[in-house]
Amino acid sequence: MKNVMTMIATSMLCSCGFMTPAKQYAGDTLSADEIAVIQSVVGTPFADAYHATIIGYTKIEANGAGEQKEFGWPGFTDYPSEIHVLPGEYDIQVYCFKGFSSHRPKKTLVLQAGQTYLLKCDVRGDQAFIGVSSRAN
């Protein structure tokens, strides 16, 4: 029975898709120093840490909300673990999950060209947070 449950849970985790990387701007592919890369931490199955995938984003423009993108299909998870965007300010929504526990926190980030931003979920009590670290591409 334990093996069956392990196989089912592994299949569910693998079916999440984690499409990666996903170019999120129009036109030709730009070099790494012209874009910002957002990566989420997807750990090993059945680990104690929360996994993170990217649900969507909204680019914030001077006159309000700009381009919006949502990933996945209702009832299914096909969220990327990495996206490539143009520099700017974005609201990023992340799907944080571990076992049967999940959260969908948002975070506003100002992204610079030539940087990779690593998003990691942390849950304290019933509140989810997105930790961010960055490094040069």
Side-chain angles (χ1 to χ4, degrees):
M1 183 66 172
K2 183 177 180 181
N3 288 344
V4 171
M5 293 302 288
T6 300
M7 287 175 50
I8 291 170
T10 301
S11 296
M12 289 174 61
L13 187 59
C14 291
S15 70
C16 292
F18 303 142
M19 58 180 174
T20 187
K23 179 178 159 248
Q24 298 298 309
Y25 53 88
D28 294 335
T29 300
L30 300 173
S31 68
D33 62 340
E34 297 175 288
I35 62 169
V37 176
I38 303 170
Q39 296 178 336
S40 57
V41 174
V42 179
T44 56
F46 312 110
D48 288 336
Y50 274 83
H51 306 281
T53 55
I54 303 163
I55 293 174
Y57 64 86
T58 300
K59 186 168 186 186
I60 301 169
E61 302 288 348
N63 58 352
E67 174 188 2
Q68 296 182 329
K69 176 76 178 203
E70 291 183 11
F71 301 105
W73 300 347
F76 296 94
T77 56
D78 194 13
Y79 306 133
S81 60
E82 178 176 317
I83 60 174
H84 300 173
V85 297
L86 297 175
E89 187 173 5
Y90 291 82
D91 279 334
I92 308 291
Q93 187 172 18
V94 175
Y95 178 59
C96 301
F97 63 98
K98 175 178 77 169
F100 294 108
S101 174
S102 66
H103 302 271
R104 296 173 187 266
K106 284 185 181 180
K107 186 157 187 105
T108 300
L109 300 172
V110 177
L111 306 175
Q112 297 177 352
Q115 294 289 310
T116 295
Y117 297 86
L118 185 62
L119 310 181
K120 184 174 184 195
C121 287
D122 185 24
V123 177
R124 292 179 221 130
D126 198 29
Q127 187 75 355
F129 303 91
I130 302 170
V132 180
S133 60
S134 66
R135 62 176 165 74
N137 288 342

